[in-house]
Amino acid sequence: MKLLVLNGPNLNLLGKREPTVYGNVSFEAYFEELKNKFPEIELDYFQSNHEGALIDKLHEVGFSYEGIVFNAGAYTHTSVAIADAIKGIETPVVEVHISNVHQREEFRHKSFLSPVCKGVILGFGLKSYELAIESFS
Ligand code: DQA
């Protein structure tokens, strides 16, 4: 099984960025842990700070991979274009957030992506990604 872990804007700063909210582990280090935890799954990783690059990646893998685990960062709360891309592909997408966005500012409570995703996992720290991967197995 082939899955893509897709991270949006500012998630390249994990480990350094607001550690009280997002922890102090870099995503690269965590991704190594994920690959060890799921040796039977072919896991790919892509991160971009650019909306169009995320959409291009969804188009690229969205007719051949079995699943996408997607943390769109702040684009979650703003992007009709990303929601349309998810709607337009065949591969199911699970929306992930590290923090519990519903405990945070009101503008983070709205997700344009949830209605077009297979499911949503949020609030479990980096473990949210692991739970999302498990949902495909
Ligand atoms: C986030 C939550 C978003 O509101 C925020 O903009 C992020 C990270 C999370 O993983 O908790 O960049 O998606």
Side-chain angles (χ1 to χ4, degrees):
M1 180 166 51
K2 225 171 166 178
L3 299 184
L4 175 71
V5 177
L6 184 58
N7 270 343
N10 301 307
L11 292 162
N12 54 310
L13 293 183
L14 281 179
K16 297 183 201 138
R17 170 196 186 199
E18 300 181 78
T20 52
V21 180
Y22 299 114
N24 46 25
V25 176
S26 74
F27 198 81
E28 286 69 22
Y30 179 65
F31 190 63
E32 288 308 307
E33 274 180 45
L34 280 178
K35 284 195 288 190
N36 291 335
K37 251 179 208 149
F38 298 99
E40 71 288 359
I41 299 177
E42 204 178 316
L43 278 179
D44 285 342
Y45 174 56
F46 182 76
Q47 188 277 332
S48 178
N49 295 319
H50 303 275
E51 190 174 21
L54 294 166
I55 292 169
D56 286 345
K57 197 67 183 178
L58 289 166
H59 293 176
E60 183 191 318
V61 307
F63 296 88
S64 54
Y65 281 46
E66 272 79 31
I68 300 169
V69 170
F70 189 14
N71 185 347
Y75 286 139
T76 306
H77 319 299
T78 63
S79 182
V80 174
I82 290 178
D84 282 351
I86 294 171
K87 223 192 283 180
I89 61 176
E90 284 170 1
T91 302
V93 176
V94 171
E95 176 183 345
V96 159
H97 300 285
I98 297 164
S99 63
N100 181 345
V101 287
H102 298 291
Q103 289 173 344
R104 301 181 64 195
E105 303 95 320
E106 182 112 25
F107 67 84
R108 295 185 203 276
H109 299 179
K110 162 85 184 164
S111 169
F112 282 92
L113 311 187
S114 301
V116 293
C117 283
K118 186 179 177 195
V120 183
I121 297 175
L122 59 89
F124 295 96
L126 287 175
K127 201 182 165 121
S128 297
Y129 291 89
E130 181 185 329
L131 296 171
I133 293 168
E134 262 170 22
S135 77
F136 284 106
S137 54

